[in-house]
Amino acid sequence: MTLEVIGISVLWLFLFGYIIVASIDFGAGFFSVYSHWANQQHILHRIIQRYLSPVWEVTNVFLVFFFVGIVGFFPKTAYYYGSILLVPASIAIVLLAIRGSYYAFHTYGETERNWYLLAYGLTGLFIPASLSIVLTISEGGFVEESAAGVALDYGKLFASPLSWSVVLLSVTSVLYISAVFLTYYADAAGDEQARALLRRYALLWSGPTMLSALLIIYQLRYHNPEHYDNLWNVAWMLVISFLFFVITVWLLGRQRRFGWAFIALLFQYAFAFYAYGISHYPYLLYPYLTIYDGFTNETMAMALIVAFIAGLLLLIPSLYLLMRLFLFNKAYVKGKWEGGKG
Amino acid sequence: MNGYDPVLLSRILTELTLTVHIIYATIGVGVPLMIAIAQWVGIRKNDMHYILLARRWTRGFVITVAVGVVTGTAIGLQLSLLWPNFMQLAGQVISLPLFMETFAFFFEAIFLGIYLYTWDRFKNQKKHLLLLIPVAIGSSASAMFITMVNAFMNTPQGFELKNGELVNIDPIVAMFNPAMPTKVAHVLATSYMTSAFVLASIAAWHLWKGNRHIYHRKALHLTMKTAFIFSVASALVGDLSGKFLAEYQPEKLAAAEWHFETSSHAPLILFGTLEEDNEVKYALEIPYALSILAHNHPAAVVTGLNDIPEDERPPLYIHYLFDMMVTIGVFLMVVAAVYWLGSIFRWKWTAKNWFFGLLVAGGPLAMIAIEAGWYLAEVGRQPWILRGYMKTAEGATTSAHVDTMLVLFCLLYIVLVIASATVLIRMFRRNPVERELEERANRGEVAP
């Protein structure tokens, strides 16, 4: 394995981590607001709050990790993506800012504002939509390079069916991933009412995610034939991904082993996400930038990898502690132990 | 395009983001230490007042951390969005500390989450205090790493430029560049100092309004003592920063001091205004002081602006920023010293209302000094973004939408600043100290 491949694999892993934890967070926010609006707040509110409270900051860090890491390993991405993403990324920052601050103000400041609550729920869908645009752009065809620099063709981007399919997949995935996780979480908390509702949401969103994924593959054939052909080389990964999808839906349908249902979902997304990433290789941005011509020098790459390993040695025990104290602490999950907040 | 200047707009947008972020970042670095001190004193003296102080500060702290996180994410991305050419070049040498900063912050975020939700979970308060240590270390370490990047922009090293390509890159040498020690020390010391003054302002505010509860007296005493210690530290490091500048960035020192001609026995110019043809009026001149500040010797030669190429001189208005920073710093150090002496010798006038009023102003003043200091540091590096290698104008984006984004972020920051301030005020008004003390006393907690 070359340093380039190690670098991009590590980053891809972080992006995958972000997609999972952020989806849970975004979807939970949306369900929480939806239930407020549909007068079912009493069912979902407590379970969602209990999960989100101690972990919200951690979610954001995964994203920061990814973009700091990609500029570190591939400094040329700063030039290409930095130049073209000013508008979409700025919009994403604003949405993330509104969402993050609202969450803290609401939870710790105990303020209640309806318009802010609405913004919180909607940003949960708009953020993944605006971030997923980056994946569409990476397929090429929307960027023009001239002597003045690189620029994004917004007209083409918005008119492209591919970008809308990617948006669709990101939004439906957020709702699906989140619902499956929260079903498991509600089950662990012994909250049957919440579990039943969330299980319904999970089943409701399972089909649409699969359909929009198929739609993307179909459109890729016309938009980026090279990528489409490469995708066939890893078709076996997509098949495995689909089998895990079937397992999740089957377990949810049988109403048992919700934890395994979520683990199967993790594998489903991991296989699909890596199949996409591997077939995208070696391009970071079709056709301008590959991982080889965008790579940093060897010394920096080694330094980053060493820092990364040292950092993980510090973080994994800390994350384990966080999980033991909250996410997987029976007393906490069941709400027996509420007191403690400063 | 009519007057559309992406370089100028990128500079304004970056300045705006940093102006907002630095307020929350300074609090984010300094307050965990203050909380730790209060909780530790509380445990040692078995005094619930200090424990409650730590609790209440923590509650407020979380709100400021939230805004610090989101504005920090903004600046992190804006570095690449607004300065793509700069990041493409500098990223090859200086991404290591940027990467490590993320780890430090991650570490801090995890333990802050745990600390916040485990106040009553441990029988032994000391165990809970232990959880705060990673928070304080994490926040100070992220300040250190990010300041290393800023130091690198001032004194880049750890690479060679050959035919437009960077070669012989050494990330460690780049991190430990000449600007690093003084800059990191100054950032940390002033963050602790400013946070202490901000918290002292809150206590002084209650006393000034006539609420003479012992809780507020204890709070003021603890914060003012800490503020004094870190003011002295900031001043000492500030002096070392002067010596660093004289050696490695003489143009910044010369512009800040309006030192036009290279000369020995250089006087330090304080205040004053600059007339046409660089004539200084109404200034206070301290003989030999600039030579002493720069080289520790009254006869030392200090480089003047005449030895700097004209197109590499920083704007001269940074002198006003320097004045502001130094005046406020010294003033606050004196105020804190007077307060301390007053409490030792039981002076009556330092417990008078007007003196509390003065202390109320301390927090905002300290924050103004922080802003002035950062403007001095950043504007003083102009016209360079990477001193000696890349001018600011070469680093900027060519995007056609920086103006719209500037408006967008203006609105965002207005909302964030107002919302965070209202949330904080309402949170503490709704739950006054007296009521909380009573509740805790009923549960059997003690205050001597």
Side-chain angles (χ1 to χ4, degrees), chain A residues 53 57-58 65 76 78-79 82 90 104 108 110-111 297 300 315 325 329 337 340 342, chain B residues 59 62 65-66 80 84-85 88 92-93 103 106 116-117 119 121 169 405 426-427 430:
Chain A
S53 296
E57 266 187 303
V58 175
F65 245 123
K76 270 202 178 145
Y79 172 70
S90 293
Y108 308 114
E110 284 150 21
T111 45
N297 52 87
M300 179 58 86
L315 285 188
L325 283 172
N329 184 294
W337 172 77
Chain B
R59 271 180 238 151
V62 187
V65 165
S80 291
N85 299 313
Q88 177 180 224
Q92 299 174 52
V93 193
F103 273 107
F106 207 157
L116 203 60
Y117 282 88
W119 270 101
R121 203 158 168 184
I169 289 170
M405 295 303 111
R426 204 172 326 143
M427 192 162 107
R430 228 187 254 172

mmCIF file of all heavy atoms in Angstrom, chain A residues 53 57-58 65 76 78-79 82 90 104 108 110-111 297 300 315 325 329 337 340 342, chain B residues 59 62 65-66 80 84-85 88 92-93 103 106 116-117 119 121 169 405 426-427 430:
data_model
loop_
_atom_site.group_PDB
_atom_site.id
_atom_site.type_symbol
_atom_site.label_atom_id
_atom_site.label_comp_id
_atom_site.label_asym_id
_atom_site.label_seq_id
_atom_site.Cartn_x
_atom_site.Cartn_y
_atom_site.Cartn_z
ATOM 1 N N SER A 53 -27.623 14.404 24.380
ATOM 2 C CA SER A 53 -27.007 15.359 25.288
ATOM 3 C C SER A 53 -25.485 15.256 25.406
ATOM 4 O O SER A 53 -24.799 16.237 25.166
ATOM 5 C CB SER A 53 -27.658 15.275 26.652
ATOM 6 O OG SER A 53 -28.999 15.652 26.519
ATOM 7 N N GLU A 57 -21.156 17.410 20.686
ATOM 8 C CA GLU A 57 -19.936 18.069 20.230
ATOM 9 C C GLU A 57 -19.052 17.107 19.453
ATOM 10 O O GLU A 57 -18.358 17.496 18.531
ATOM 11 C CB GLU A 57 -19.130 18.527 21.447
ATOM 12 C CG GLU A 57 -19.388 19.928 21.840
ATOM 13 C CD GLU A 57 -18.401 20.301 22.925
ATOM 14 O OE1 GLU A 57 -18.368 19.624 23.962
ATOM 15 O OE2 GLU A 57 -17.666 21.245 22.695
ATOM 16 N N VAL A 58 -19.086 15.849 19.882
ATOM 17 C CA VAL A 58 -18.211 14.845 19.292
ATOM 18 C C VAL A 58 -18.515 14.676 17.809
ATOM 19 O O VAL A 58 -17.616 14.502 16.981
ATOM 20 C CB VAL A 58 -18.368 13.524 20.071
ATOM 21 C CG1 VAL A 58 -17.578 12.415 19.421
ATOM 22 C CG2 VAL A 58 -17.926 13.721 21.514
ATOM 23 N N PHE A 65 -12.188 16.793 11.478
ATOM 24 C CA PHE A 65 -11.117 15.845 11.237
ATOM 25 C C PHE A 65 -10.939 15.580 9.765
ATOM 26 O O PHE A 65 -9.842 15.594 9.229
ATOM 27 C CB PHE A 65 -11.481 14.503 11.879
ATOM 28 C CG PHE A 65 -10.570 14.156 12.971
ATOM 29 C CD1 PHE A 65 -11.070 13.915 14.236
ATOM 30 C CD2 PHE A 65 -9.216 14.077 12.746
ATOM 31 C CE1 PHE A 65 -10.235 13.608 15.256
ATOM 32 C CE2 PHE A 65 -8.377 13.760 13.772
ATOM 33 C CZ PHE A 65 -8.883 13.530 15.035
ATOM 34 N N LYS A 76 -3.425 20.005 -2.382
ATOM 35 C CA LYS A 76 -4.029 20.571 -3.591
ATOM 36 C C LYS A 76 -5.552 20.608 -3.509
ATOM 37 O O LYS A 76 -6.194 21.366 -4.235
ATOM 38 C CB LYS A 76 -3.609 19.772 -4.826
ATOM 39 C CG LYS A 76 -2.341 20.316 -5.433
ATOM 40 C CD LYS A 76 -2.182 19.926 -6.882
ATOM 41 C CE LYS A 76 -0.921 20.562 -7.427
ATOM 42 N NZ LYS A 76 -0.239 19.722 -8.391
ATOM 43 N N ALA A 78 -7.086 21.842 -1.173
ATOM 44 C CA ALA A 78 -7.397 23.178 -0.667
ATOM 45 C C ALA A 78 -7.586 24.127 -1.839
ATOM 46 O O ALA A 78 -8.488 24.964 -1.837
ATOM 47 C CB ALA A 78 -6.280 23.688 0.246
ATOM 48 N N TYR A 79 -6.734 23.962 -2.860
ATOM 49 C CA TYR A 79 -6.850 24.842 -4.011
ATOM 50 C C TYR A 79 -8.127 24.529 -4.802
ATOM 51 O O TYR A 79 -8.964 25.397 -5.031
ATOM 52 C CB TYR A 79 -5.614 24.710 -4.897
ATOM 53 C CG TYR A 79 -5.752 25.447 -6.196
ATOM 54 C CD1 TYR A 79 -5.746 26.840 -6.214
ATOM 55 C CD2 TYR A 79 -5.918 24.764 -7.404
ATOM 56 C CE1 TYR A 79 -5.900 27.524 -7.405
ATOM 57 C CE2 TYR A 79 -6.062 25.443 -8.591
ATOM 58 C CZ TYR A 79 -6.053 26.820 -8.594
ATOM 59 O OH TYR A 79 -6.208 27.497 -9.773
ATOM 60 N N GLY A 82 -11.317 24.219 -2.260
ATOM 61 C CA GLY A 82 -11.443 25.510 -1.586
ATOM 62 C C GLY A 82 -12.001 26.558 -2.527
ATOM 63 O O GLY A 82 -12.890 27.330 -2.167
ATOM 64 N N SER A 90 -19.953 27.367 2.692
ATOM 65 C CA SER A 90 -20.358 28.440 3.606
ATOM 66 C C SER A 90 -21.784 28.220 4.082
ATOM 67 O O SER A 90 -22.098 28.438 5.254
ATOM 68 C CB SER A 90 -20.261 29.803 2.913
ATOM 69 O OG SER A 90 -18.923 30.115 2.652
ATOM 70 N N ALA A 104 -27.117 23.700 22.034
ATOM 71 C CA ALA A 104 -26.545 24.065 23.331
ATOM 72 C C ALA A 104 -27.445 25.048 24.065
ATOM 73 O O ALA A 104 -27.703 24.914 25.259
ATOM 74 C CB ALA A 104 -25.162 24.654 23.134
ATOM 75 N N TYR A 108 -28.800 23.532 27.473
ATOM 76 C CA TYR A 108 -28.170 24.044 28.688
ATOM 77 C C TYR A 108 -28.784 25.354 29.120
ATOM 78 O O TYR A 108 -28.812 25.687 30.292
ATOM 79 C CB TYR A 108 -26.668 24.214 28.467
ATOM 80 C CG TYR A 108 -26.017 22.970 27.939
ATOM 81 C CD1 TYR A 108 -25.464 22.930 26.676
ATOM 82 C CD2 TYR A 108 -25.997 21.811 28.713
ATOM 83 C CE1 TYR A 108 -24.885 21.783 26.188
ATOM 84 C CE2 TYR A 108 -25.421 20.657 28.224
ATOM 85 C CZ TYR A 108 -24.863 20.644 26.957
ATOM 86 O OH TYR A 108 -24.302 19.493 26.474
ATOM 87 N N GLU A 110 -31.894 26.190 28.419
ATOM 88 C CA GLU A 110 -33.317 25.961 28.625
ATOM 89 C C GLU A 110 -34.199 27.054 28.059
ATOM 90 O O GLU A 110 -35.116 27.547 28.699
ATOM 91 C CB GLU A 110 -33.608 25.745 30.123
ATOM 92 C CG GLU A 110 -33.193 24.349 30.570
ATOM 93 C CD GLU A 110 -32.762 24.304 32.014
ATOM 94 O OE1 GLU A 110 -33.138 25.212 32.746
ATOM 95 O OE2 GLU A 110 -32.043 23.373 32.378
ATOM 96 N N THR A 111 -33.897 27.448 26.835
ATOM 97 C CA THR A 111 -34.763 28.415 26.164
ATOM 98 C C THR A 111 -35.626 27.668 25.167
ATOM 99 O O THR A 111 -35.204 26.668 24.595
ATOM 100 C CB THR A 111 -33.942 29.449 25.373
ATOM 101 O OG1 THR A 111 -32.936 28.750 24.670
ATOM 102 C CG2 THR A 111 -33.335 30.481 26.275
ATOM 103 N N ASN A 297 4.166 15.871 0.678
ATOM 104 C CA ASN A 297 5.469 15.207 0.664
ATOM 105 C C ASN A 297 5.491 14.039 1.636
ATOM 106 O O ASN A 297 4.652 13.932 2.530
ATOM 107 C CB ASN A 297 6.542 16.216 1.043
ATOM 108 C CG ASN A 297 6.181 16.918 2.325
ATOM 109 O OD1 ASN A 297 6.491 16.441 3.399
ATOM 110 N ND2 ASN A 297 5.478 18.042 2.232
ATOM 111 N N MET A 300 5.800 14.809 5.566
ATOM 112 C CA MET A 300 4.563 15.249 6.194
ATOM 113 C C MET A 300 3.580 14.099 6.326
ATOM 114 O O MET A 300 2.927 13.934 7.353
ATOM 115 C CB MET A 300 3.957 16.392 5.372
ATOM 116 C CG MET A 300 2.641 16.910 5.922
ATOM 117 S SD MET A 300 2.775 17.498 7.619
ATOM 118 C CE MET A 300 3.304 19.162 7.339
ATOM 119 N N LEU A 315 -7.591 8.821 22.046
ATOM 120 C CA LEU A 315 -9.035 9.028 21.892
ATOM 121 C C LEU A 315 -9.861 7.776 22.149
ATOM 122 O O LEU A 315 -10.944 7.858 22.711
ATOM 123 C CB LEU A 315 -9.335 9.519 20.481
ATOM 124 C CG LEU A 315 -8.969 10.966 20.216
ATOM 125 C CD1 LEU A 315 -9.482 11.382 18.861
ATOM 126 C CD2 LEU A 315 -9.559 11.859 21.294
ATOM 127 N N LEU A 325 -20.124 5.391 30.162
ATOM 128 C CA LEU A 325 -20.846 6.214 31.122
ATOM 129 C C LEU A 325 -22.241 6.584 30.631
ATOM 130 O O LEU A 325 -23.135 6.802 31.425
ATOM 131 C CB LEU A 325 -20.058 7.494 31.418
ATOM 132 C CG LEU A 325 -18.868 7.330 32.352
ATOM 133 C CD1 LEU A 325 -18.053 8.605 32.416
ATOM 134 C CD2 LEU A 325 -19.336 6.951 33.753
ATOM 135 N N ASN A 329 -24.617 2.666 29.165
ATOM 136 C CA ASN A 329 -24.791 2.510 30.596
ATOM 137 C C ASN A 329 -26.265 2.255 30.863
ATOM 138 O O ASN A 329 -27.105 3.113 30.592
ATOM 139 C CB ASN A 329 -24.310 3.781 31.297
ATOM 140 C CG ASN A 329 -24.376 3.639 32.799
ATOM 141 O OD1 ASN A 329 -25.470 3.532 33.356
ATOM 142 N ND2 ASN A 329 -23.232 3.632 33.437
ATOM 143 N N TRP A 337 -30.962 7.432 36.044
ATOM 144 C CA TRP A 337 -29.964 8.306 36.601
ATOM 145 C C TRP A 337 -29.986 9.597 35.807
ATOM 146 O O TRP A 337 -29.348 9.735 34.796
ATOM 147 C CB TRP A 337 -28.618 7.609 36.522
ATOM 148 C CG TRP A 337 -27.497 8.482 36.880
ATOM 149 C CD1 TRP A 337 -27.122 8.846 38.112
ATOM 150 C CD2 TRP A 337 -26.622 9.122 35.979
ATOM 151 N NE1 TRP A 337 -26.072 9.691 38.041
ATOM 152 C CE2 TRP A 337 -25.743 9.875 36.757
ATOM 153 C CE3 TRP A 337 -26.501 9.149 34.594
ATOM 154 C CZ2 TRP A 337 -24.751 10.654 36.187
ATOM 155 C CZ3 TRP A 337 -25.515 9.911 34.035
ATOM 156 C CH2 TRP A 337 -24.647 10.650 34.835
ATOM 157 N N GLY A 340 -27.360 15.242 37.853
ATOM 158 C CA GLY A 340 -25.949 15.329 37.566
ATOM 159 C C GLY A 340 -25.620 16.531 36.746
ATOM 160 O O GLY A 340 -24.541 17.070 36.865
ATOM 161 N N GLY A 342 -24.630 19.767 35.930
ATOM 162 C CA GLY A 342 -24.158 20.925 36.654
ATOM 163 C C GLY A 342 -25.229 21.622 37.376
ATOM 164 O O GLY A 342 -25.223 22.564 38.032
ATOM 165 N N ARG B 59 -21.838 25.959 33.720
ATOM 166 C CA ARG B 59 -23.075 26.099 32.966
ATOM 167 C C ARG B 59 -22.972 27.199 31.927
ATOM 168 O O ARG B 59 -23.428 27.061 30.798
ATOM 169 C CB ARG B 59 -24.227 26.421 33.919
ATOM 170 C CG ARG B 59 -24.888 25.192 34.457
ATOM 171 C CD ARG B 59 -26.005 25.602 35.378
ATOM 172 N NE ARG B 59 -25.774 25.028 36.691
ATOM 173 C CZ ARG B 59 -26.187 25.578 37.822
ATOM 174 N NH1 ARG B 59 -26.797 26.755 37.808
ATOM 175 N NH2 ARG B 59 -25.959 24.983 38.950
ATOM 176 N N VAL B 62 -20.480 26.229 28.919
ATOM 177 C CA VAL B 62 -20.956 25.368 27.831
ATOM 178 C C VAL B 62 -21.555 26.196 26.698
ATOM 179 O O VAL B 62 -21.368 25.886 25.514
ATOM 180 C CB VAL B 62 -22.022 24.384 28.348
ATOM 181 C CG1 VAL B 62 -22.376 23.404 27.277
ATOM 182 C CG2 VAL B 62 -21.511 23.656 29.549
ATOM 183 N N VAL B 65 -18.739 27.680 24.793
ATOM 184 C CA VAL B 65 -18.039 26.644 24.025
ATOM 185 C C VAL B 65 -18.781 26.356 22.732
ATOM 186 O O VAL B 65 -18.182 26.224 21.665
ATOM 187 C CB VAL B 65 -17.902 25.343 24.844
ATOM 188 C CG1 VAL B 65 -17.510 24.176 23.943
ATOM 189 C CG2 VAL B 65 -16.857 25.517 25.921
ATOM 190 N N ALA B 66 -20.118 26.294 22.818
ATOM 191 C CA ALA B 66 -20.906 25.990 21.626
ATOM 192 C C ALA B 66 -20.616 27.002 20.529
ATOM 193 O O ALA B 66 -20.379 26.633 19.372
ATOM 194 C CB ALA B 66 -22.396 25.988 21.962
ATOM 195 N N SER B 80 -9.371 27.364 3.937
ATOM 196 C CA SER B 80 -9.265 26.784 2.602
ATOM 197 C C SER B 80 -10.176 27.485 1.600
ATOM 198 O O SER B 80 -9.844 27.597 0.427
ATOM 199 C CB SER B 80 -9.616 25.301 2.631
ATOM 200 O OG SER B 80 -8.624 24.591 3.318
ATOM 201 N N PRO B 84 -7.298 29.563 -0.716
ATOM 202 C CA PRO B 84 -6.932 28.257 -1.283
ATOM 203 C C PRO B 84 -5.468 28.185 -1.716
ATOM 204 O O PRO B 84 -4.830 27.149 -1.526
ATOM 205 C CB PRO B 84 -7.874 28.106 -2.483
ATOM 206 C CG PRO B 84 -8.412 29.448 -2.773
ATOM 207 C CD PRO B 84 -8.389 30.211 -1.488
ATOM 208 N N ASN B 85 -4.938 29.283 -2.273
ATOM 209 C CA ASN B 85 -3.549 29.228 -2.739
ATOM 210 C C ASN B 85 -2.577 29.144 -1.573
ATOM 211 O O ASN B 85 -1.574 28.447 -1.620
ATOM 212 C CB ASN B 85 -3.225 30.459 -3.582
ATOM 213 C CG ASN B 85 -4.112 30.528 -4.797
ATOM 214 O OD1 ASN B 85 -4.287 29.534 -5.490
ATOM 215 N ND2 ASN B 85 -4.714 31.683 -5.032
ATOM 216 N N GLN B 88 -2.742 25.636 -0.077
ATOM 217 C CA GLN B 88 -2.089 24.659 -0.944
ATOM 218 C C GLN B 88 -0.583 24.666 -0.696
ATOM 219 O O GLN B 88 0.046 23.618 -0.638
ATOM 220 C CB GLN B 88 -2.386 24.997 -2.403
ATOM 221 C CG GLN B 88 -1.674 24.068 -3.340
ATOM 222 C CD GLN B 88 -1.962 24.383 -4.788
ATOM 223 O OE1 GLN B 88 -2.196 23.495 -5.569
ATOM 224 N NE2 GLN B 88 -1.967 25.641 -5.154
ATOM 225 N N GLN B 92 1.479 22.008 2.929
ATOM 226 C CA GLN B 92 2.531 20.996 2.785
ATOM 227 C C GLN B 92 3.499 21.000 3.954
ATOM 228 O O GLN B 92 4.203 20.032 4.192
ATOM 229 C CB GLN B 92 3.319 21.249 1.497
ATOM 230 C CG GLN B 92 2.470 21.165 0.258
ATOM 231 C CD GLN B 92 3.251 21.570 -0.970
ATOM 232 O OE1 GLN B 92 4.324 21.059 -1.225
ATOM 233 N NE2 GLN B 92 2.712 22.498 -1.729
ATOM 234 N N VAL B 93 3.558 22.102 4.684
ATOM 235 C CA VAL B 93 4.558 22.219 5.746
ATOM 236 C C VAL B 93 3.932 22.265 7.137
ATOM 237 O O VAL B 93 4.517 21.800 8.110
ATOM 238 C CB VAL B 93 5.404 23.498 5.540
ATOM 239 C CG1 VAL B 93 6.633 23.470 6.427
ATOM 240 C CG2 VAL B 93 5.801 23.658 4.102
ATOM 241 N N PHE B 103 -7.245 16.809 17.247
ATOM 242 C CA PHE B 103 -7.198 15.765 18.280
ATOM 243 C C PHE B 103 -7.375 16.367 19.671
ATOM 244 O O PHE B 103 -8.133 15.859 20.491
ATOM 245 C CB PHE B 103 -5.869 15.007 18.222
ATOM 246 C CG PHE B 103 -5.877 13.867 17.266
ATOM 247 C CD1 PHE B 103 -5.192 13.941 16.072
ATOM 248 C CD2 PHE B 103 -6.598 12.722 17.555
ATOM 249 C CE1 PHE B 103 -5.209 12.889 15.173
ATOM 250 C CE2 PHE B 103 -6.620 11.667 16.673
ATOM 251 C CZ PHE B 103 -5.917 11.753 15.470
ATOM 252 N N PHE B 106 -10.877 17.290 20.177
ATOM 253 C CA PHE B 106 -11.700 16.089 20.321
ATOM 254 C C PHE B 106 -11.631 15.585 21.774
ATOM 255 O O PHE B 106 -12.647 15.308 22.423
ATOM 256 C CB PHE B 106 -11.151 15.014 19.384
ATOM 257 C CG PHE B 106 -12.178 14.015 18.936
ATOM 258 C CD1 PHE B 106 -11.975 13.305 17.759
ATOM 259 C CD2 PHE B 106 -13.334 13.790 19.654
ATOM 260 C CE1 PHE B 106 -12.909 12.380 17.321
ATOM 261 C CE2 PHE B 106 -14.276 12.868 19.220
ATOM 262 C CZ PHE B 106 -14.048 12.158 18.048
ATOM 263 N N LEU B 116 -19.655 17.453 32.463
ATOM 264 C CA LEU B 116 -20.907 18.186 32.592
ATOM 265 C C LEU B 116 -22.030 17.339 33.168
ATOM 266 O O LEU B 116 -22.881 17.825 33.898
ATOM 267 C CB LEU B 116 -21.281 18.634 31.178
ATOM 268 C CG LEU B 116 -22.181 19.794 31.025
ATOM 269 C CD1 LEU B 116 -21.543 21.002 31.653
ATOM 270 C CD2 LEU B 116 -22.379 20.032 29.533
ATOM 271 N N TYR B 117 -22.012 16.061 32.834
ATOM 272 C CA TYR B 117 -23.134 15.218 33.230
ATOM 273 C C TYR B 117 -22.825 14.318 34.418
ATOM 274 O O TYR B 117 -23.544 13.377 34.684
ATOM 275 C CB TYR B 117 -23.600 14.372 32.032
ATOM 276 C CG TYR B 117 -24.426 15.200 31.096
ATOM 277 C CD1 TYR B 117 -23.839 15.926 30.084
ATOM 278 C CD2 TYR B 117 -25.807 15.301 31.279
ATOM 279 C CE1 TYR B 117 -24.584 16.714 29.241
ATOM 280 C CE2 TYR B 117 -26.569 16.088 30.454
ATOM 281 C CZ TYR B 117 -25.957 16.795 29.439
ATOM 282 O OH TYR B 117 -26.709 17.581 28.619
ATOM 283 N N TRP B 119 -21.806 15.567 37.686
ATOM 284 C CA TRP B 119 -21.571 16.335 38.909
ATOM 285 C C TRP B 119 -21.878 15.558 40.183
ATOM 286 O O TRP B 119 -21.140 15.625 41.147
ATOM 287 C CB TRP B 119 -22.402 17.618 38.899
ATOM 288 C CG TRP B 119 -21.660 18.752 38.283
ATOM 289 C CD1 TRP B 119 -21.811 19.219 37.024
ATOM 290 C CD2 TRP B 119 -20.642 19.560 38.896
ATOM 291 N NE1 TRP B 119 -20.954 20.264 36.799
ATOM 292 C CE2 TRP B 119 -20.232 20.492 37.927
ATOM 293 C CE3 TRP B 119 -20.043 19.580 40.152
ATOM 294 C CZ2 TRP B 119 -19.244 21.445 38.185
ATOM 295 C CZ3 TRP B 119 -19.069 20.520 40.400
ATOM 296 C CH2 TRP B 119 -18.678 21.448 39.424
ATOM 297 N N ARG B 121 -22.439 12.243 40.318
ATOM 298 C CA ARG B 121 -22.341 10.801 40.130
ATOM 299 C C ARG B 121 -21.264 10.167 41.007
ATOM 300 O O ARG B 121 -21.294 8.981 41.260
ATOM 301 C CB ARG B 121 -22.051 10.503 38.663
ATOM 302 C CG ARG B 121 -22.482 9.106 38.276
ATOM 303 C CD ARG B 121 -22.675 9.058 36.786
ATOM 304 N NE ARG B 121 -22.818 7.705 36.294
ATOM 305 C CZ ARG B 121 -22.927 7.413 35.014
ATOM 306 N NH1 ARG B 121 -22.907 8.366 34.117
ATOM 307 N NH2 ARG B 121 -23.066 6.172 34.622
ATOM 308 N N ILE B 169 11.272 19.306 3.394
ATOM 309 C CA ILE B 169 10.279 19.727 4.373
ATOM 310 C C ILE B 169 10.475 19.000 5.699
ATOM 311 O O ILE B 169 10.694 17.789 5.730
ATOM 312 C CB ILE B 169 8.874 19.475 3.811
ATOM 313 C CG1 ILE B 169 8.630 20.478 2.687
ATOM 314 C CG2 ILE B 169 7.813 19.602 4.887
ATOM 315 C CD1 ILE B 169 7.419 20.225 1.889
ATOM 316 N N MET B 405 -21.151 36.070 0.644
ATOM 317 C CA MET B 405 -20.818 35.274 1.822
ATOM 318 C C MET B 405 -20.520 36.163 3.027
ATOM 319 O O MET B 405 -20.844 35.824 4.156
ATOM 320 C CB MET B 405 -19.601 34.373 1.530
ATOM 321 C CG MET B 405 -19.838 33.324 0.480
ATOM 322 S SD MET B 405 -21.222 32.241 0.875
ATOM 323 C CE MET B 405 -22.391 32.729 -0.373
ATOM 324 N N ARG B 426 -30.309 35.305 30.705
ATOM 325 C CA ARG B 426 -31.561 34.750 31.189
ATOM 326 C C ARG B 426 -31.325 33.542 32.099
ATOM 327 O O ARG B 426 -31.969 33.362 33.129
ATOM 328 C CB ARG B 426 -32.440 34.345 30.014
ATOM 329 C CG ARG B 426 -33.879 34.346 30.437
ATOM 330 C CD ARG B 426 -34.852 34.139 29.302
ATOM 331 N NE ARG B 426 -34.441 34.717 28.048
ATOM 332 C CZ ARG B 426 -34.683 34.120 26.875
ATOM 333 N NH1 ARG B 426 -35.263 32.944 26.842
ATOM 334 N NH2 ARG B 426 -34.327 34.688 25.758
ATOM 335 N N MET B 427 -30.341 32.718 31.692
ATOM 336 C CA MET B 427 -30.056 31.515 32.463
ATOM 337 C C MET B 427 -29.715 31.849 33.919
ATOM 338 O O MET B 427 -30.210 31.202 34.840
ATOM 339 C CB MET B 427 -28.873 30.834 31.806
ATOM 340 C CG MET B 427 -28.581 29.464 32.263
ATOM 341 S SD MET B 427 -27.522 28.727 30.992
ATOM 342 C CE MET B 427 -25.986 28.723 31.811
ATOM 343 N N ARG B 430 -32.711 33.683 35.929
ATOM 344 C CA ARG B 430 -33.787 32.792 36.318
ATOM 345 C C ARG B 430 -33.423 31.955 37.537
ATOM 346 O O ARG B 430 -34.268 31.453 38.240
ATOM 347 C CB ARG B 430 -34.090 31.860 35.145
ATOM 348 C CG ARG B 430 -35.557 31.779 34.833
ATOM 349 C CD ARG B 430 -35.757 30.717 33.787
ATOM 350 N NE ARG B 430 -36.037 31.317 32.499
ATOM 351 C CZ ARG B 430 -36.093 30.601 31.358
ATOM 352 N NH1 ARG B 430 -35.864 29.315 31.378
ATOM 353 N NH2 ARG B 430 -36.372 31.186 30.229
#
